[in-house]
């Protein structure tokens, strides 16, 4: 019985470790976006039930761009240079997955998927 409890405990710990891992099916897209936005910020959002990425450079008046899961541009959010696309105001459940340290927003560094390594 003691052996069974040990196996059960180890199995539960293993399952918990797997469920908490930093896995993302779109990691290749995220890595490509990071090449452009390593001096900026990347957010993972939902738009019409699909995963999209809202990205911006760490610079004043730089605007932002929205990409689909394949890394294709689907919207431009440059408020300083004209009317932003409607998608800019329709993103939901955004989570910052990358933000450069020492940024203009005064926010902490974020690197959910260890992109900086």
């Amino acid at each position: 019985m003691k052996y069974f409890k040990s196996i059960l405990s180890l199995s539960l710990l293993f399952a918990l470790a797997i469920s908490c891992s930093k896995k993302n099916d779109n990691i290749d897209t995220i890595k490509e976006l990071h090449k452009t936005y390593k001096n900026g910020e990347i957010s993972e959002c939902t738009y019409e039930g699909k995963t999209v990425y809202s990205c911006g450079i760490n610079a004043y008046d730089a605007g932002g761009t929205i990409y689909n899961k394949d890394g294709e541009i689907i919207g431009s959010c440059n408020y300083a240079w004209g009317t932003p696309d409607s998608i800019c105001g329709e993103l939901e459940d955004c989570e910052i997955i990358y933000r450069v340290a020492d940024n203009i927003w005064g926010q902490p560094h974020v690197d959910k998927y260890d992109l900086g390594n």
Side-chain angles (χ1 to χ4, degrees), residues 74-113:
I74 58 172
S76 176
C77 307
N78 195 332
Y79 295 88
W81 298 103
T83 305
D85 294 337
S86 61
I87 189 175
C88 301
E90 298 173 6
L91 302 180
E92 297 178 331
D93 304 320
C94 292
E95 175 190 3
I96 296 169
I97 60 171
Y98 176 81
R99 185 187 300 124
V100 67
D102 301 320
N103 56 72
I104 61 170
W105 308 289
Q107 297 295 313
H109 171 70
V110 176
D111 194 354
K112 181 176 179 177
Y113 299 112

Side-chain angles (χ1 to χ4, degrees), residues 41-84:
E41 182 176 81
I42 303 170
S43 293
E44 192 170 56
C45 305
T46 302
Y47 174 69
E48 296 181 345
K50 298 177 181 170
T51 299
V52 298
Y53 300 95
S54 176
C55 305
I57 298 292
N58 183 33
Y60 294 104
D61 295 334
T65 306
I66 310 219
Y67 297 85
N68 66 13
K69 68 176 185 64
D70 299 317
E72 300 165 339
I73 295 174
I74 58 172
S76 176
C77 307
N78 195 332
Y79 295 88
W81 298 103
T83 305

Side-chain angles (χ1 to χ4, degrees), residues 15-30:
L16 180 63
I18 289 173
S19 68
C20 293
S21 68
K22 298 177 182 180
K23 184 177 183 291
N24 189 303
D25 293 336
N26 302 327
I27 196 66
D28 291 336
T29 297
I30 295 168

